[in-house]
Amino acid sequence: MGSGRVQIYYGDGRGKSTAALGYALQTATAGKNVFLIHFLKGKMATESAFMQRLEPEIKIFHFEKSEGRYEELSEQEKTEENRNIKNGVNFARKVLLNDECSLLVLDELLGVIDHAVVTKEDVQALFDAKAEETQIIVTGRKLPDYLRDMADEIYQIQAEKS
C-alpha cells in the first residue's frame, strides 16, 4: 500500500466499490484507520446492516436521507439531498484536515461531481486537506478530465463480456 496516494476507480463496469472496499479491508487489517463515505446510494438499508459489522475498524457514513437512489428522486428531493451530500463532502474535508484516517474512501464521488453537486474547486479543497501520508480512493462512472491531474493512480473498470 503506497503512501499518500489519490486513486480513482471509474468506468461502466461493476466492481469499483468492491475494489475500494477490498483495499479498505487490507488497510484496516494493517491496523490503520479507514473512513468510508457512500454517496448517491440512498440509505442502503440491507447493505448498511452488514457493513456496520466492519466497525470500528472501518467507519462507514451515509449522509443522504432518502430511501431511493439519487437518480430516482424528484427535483425537490434532489435539492434536499444535495445539502446532505455537501455535508458529507464537508465532513470528509474535516476528517482529512484533522488527519483522522489513513484511508478515506469516497464511494460515488464521481457521480456527485457528474450531477454538479460539488465543483472542481470543492474537490481540489478536499484533496488539498489531505495529509501527505493519507490515501484517498474515489469511485464512480464518469471521470472528468480535470481529475486526471489530481490523481496519482487511475483504474478504468469495464466489462469485457457481460
Side-chain angles (χ1 to χ4, degrees):
M1 288 176 272
S3 177
R5 319 267 311 146
V6 173
Q7 299 178 16
I8 298 176
Y9 302 158
Y10 84 101
D12 289 328
R14 298 174 62 125
K16 299 174 291 288
S17 297
T18 305
L21 181 58
Y23 199 90
L25 288 170
Q26 280 183 315
T27 303
T29 301
K32 297 182 178 180
N33 292 328
V34 177
F35 280 54
L36 186 146
I37 302 174
H38 290 287
F39 296 105
L40 302 181
K41 295 185 177 184
K43 284 188 174 179
M44 301 172 44
T46 353
E47 200 173 300
S48 290
F50 176 79
M51 296 286 279
Q52 285 177 348
R53 289 193 255 161
L54 299 174
E55 293 184 358
E57 287 79 10
I58 299 177
K59 294 165 186 67
I60 300 164
F61 301 91
H62 307 269
F63 287 85
E64 293 157 273
K65 306 294 184 219
S66 68
E67 296 291 333
R69 296 177 69 87
Y70 186 85
E71 294 80 14
E72 300 164 354
L73 302 176
S74 70
E75 288 307 311
Q76 182 179 346
E77 291 170 319
K78 284 182 182 178
T79 299
E80 184 175 325
E81 286 297 35
N82 288 349
R83 280 190 293 261
N84 296 331
I85 290 167
K86 287 178 183 179
N87 286 339
V89 172
N90 288 333
F91 173 76
R93 196 167 74 70
K94 288 177 187 172
V95 164
L96 292 169
L97 284 170
N98 294 326
D99 199 17
E100 293 182 47
C101 64
S102 299
L103 172 63
L104 174 63
V105 177
L106 301 167
D107 189 26
E108 282 301 332
L109 182 67
L110 295 181
V112 170
I113 294 166
D114 191 45
H115 287 295
V117 179
V118 297
T119 64
K120 174 183 178 179
E121 292 76 23
D122 295 329
V123 176
Q124 186 65 61
L126 183 63
F127 290 174
D128 287 347
K130 177 182 89 57
E132 188 175 326
E133 62 281 348
T134 303
Q135 297 185 104
I136 298 175
I137 296 178
V138 174
T139 69
R141 291 194 180 277
K142 296 179 186 175
L143 178 62
D145 287 335
Y146 71 82
L147 263 183
R148 291 183 178 281
D149 293 333
M150 294 182 194
D152 298 298
E153 299 173 15
I154 300 173
Y155 301 93
Q156 183 177 17
I157 311 295
Q158 62 186 12
E160 188 170 310
K161 184 177 179 179
S162 53

